[in-house]
Amino acid sequence: RLFKQEMGFTFVEYVNYVRIETAKETIRQEDYSIAEIAELCGFENDSTFSRTFKTFTGISPSQYRKKHT
């Protein structure tokens, strides 16, 4: 509760935000598959990663890759 009170979002939201920011950078700079990026960023599987990515960015990881590479 204190984390949310101080930061404005939950700890889990913060962790996911950091993971997605790392994923975005990895997508732009590396040639890993989406599944490999999901694993590198600490997601259990690529479907959870893709769903979380889309929640934060509004587009899928594949769409992001097409726009930023």
Side-chain angles (χ1 to χ4, degrees), residues 50-61:
S50 293
R51 188 173 49 253
T52 305
F53 192 96
K54 190 166 186 175
T55 298
F56 276 82
T57 65
I59 59 176
S60 72

Side-chain angles (χ1 to χ4, degrees), residues 26-40:
T26 304
I27 288 170
R28 287 191 306 267
Q29 296 178 357
E30 304 291 337
D31 195 28
Y32 293 115
S33 71
I34 299 302
E36 289 172 321
I37 293 170
E39 185 178 340
L40 286 170

Side-chain angles (χ1 to χ4, degrees), residues 7-56:
M7 301 298 288
F9 40 84
T10 67
F11 182 72
V12 172
E13 291 169 332
Y14 173 74
V15 169
N16 282 331
Y17 170 79
V18 170
R19 287 177 172 169
I20 295 303
E21 289 301 309
T22 301
K24 286 166 50 178
E25 186 174 326
T26 304
I27 288 170
R28 287 191 306 267
Q29 296 178 357
E30 304 291 337
D31 195 28
Y32 293 115
S33 71
I34 299 302
E36 289 172 321
I37 293 170
E39 185 178 340
L40 286 170
C41 293
F43 287 91
E44 263 186 47
N45 56 56
D46 55 336
S47 357
T48 302
F49 168 65
S50 293
R51 188 173 49 253
T52 305
F53 192 96
K54 190 166 186 175
T55 298
F56 276 82

